[in-house]
Amino acid sequence: MTHILILNGPNLNLLGTRQPETYGTITLKDIEAMCAREAGALGITYEFEQSNHEGTMVDLIHATKADGIILNAAAYTHSSIAIMDAISAVNKPVLELHLSNIHQREDFRHHSYISKVAFAMICGLGASGYPLALRAMNEHLAL
Ligand code: CA2
């Protein structure tokens, strides 16, 4: 059965509790429930992880048995060569995901190290991007 890792980076544990004007009022737990529903409908399994630590994210990427990774690396998107290298090392398909449209925001968010190693990117759709990403990854893995 297809298995997908959904990995969330720093500060995303605060979703729904701070800066609702930028990140909305939906919590990460709500997003996980959306993913659970979508995975059930698609007939696939998933793991949902969040870490505030770059090294922990690298370890999770190394260790996962998932067929593909949906990655919202949060601020590490714009800084982490270590996470980019971890993705290259495991050679699994990665779909980059962001809640906000990073290209509409500050210049420093326009560059993504993750985009160099991701087959696709979804941004700007808020929480709805998560179930869409699961569907897109499932279709990509079936190709
Ligand atoms: O739009 C996204 O999903 C981001 O990955 C979110 C990151 C940001 O650094 C990226 O440029 C774009 C920030 C996540 C911080 O989440 C918070 C949630 C609530 C309150 C404060 C931060």
Side-chain angles (χ1 to χ4, degrees):
M1 187 184 265
T2 297
H3 184 64
I4 296 172
L5 169 64
I6 305 160
L7 179 56
N8 296 284
N11 297 307
L12 286 165
N13 55 310
L14 298 178
L15 272 182
T17 65
R18 315 258 168 88
Q19 287 178 243
E21 64 289 350
T22 309
Y23 296 112
T25 53
I26 291 181
T27 66
L28 201 58
K29 254 199 155 10
D30 296 330
I31 291 178
E32 183 170 2
M34 290 166 73
C35 290
R37 271 197 300 279
E38 188 67 24
L42 294 169
I44 63 174
T45 57
Y46 73 95
E47 303 156 66
F48 195 89
E49 301 281 356
Q50 189 274 331
S51 176
N52 292 324
H53 305 282
E54 186 177 25
T56 303
M57 292 179 70
V58 168
D59 288 343
L60 286 165
I61 291 166
H62 289 175
T64 188
K65 299 271 189 284
D67 301 297
I69 303 170
I70 294 169
L71 177 60
N72 184 349
Y76 288 141
T77 302
H78 318 296
S79 67
S80 182
I81 296 170
I83 293 175
M84 178 183 73
D85 284 349
I87 292 165
S88 299
V90 299
N91 201 24
K92 289 182 190 232
V94 169
L95 193 158
E96 177 179 2
L97 177 62
H98 300 285
L99 295 155
S100 61
N101 179 351
I102 56 174
H103 296 292
Q104 210 170 54
R105 301 184 63 191
E106 304 94 322
D107 285 355
F108 64 84
R109 295 187 203 275
H110 297 178
H111 177 264
S112 165
Y113 284 101
I114 308 306
S115 288
K116 299 263 176 244
V117 289
F119 74 86
M121 200 258 261
I122 293 175
C123 77
L125 294 175
S128 307
Y130 281 76
L132 273 175
L134 269 178
R135 188 165 288 269
M137 176 63 85
N138 190 43
E139 282 176 18
H140 180 83
L141 289 168
L143 289 178

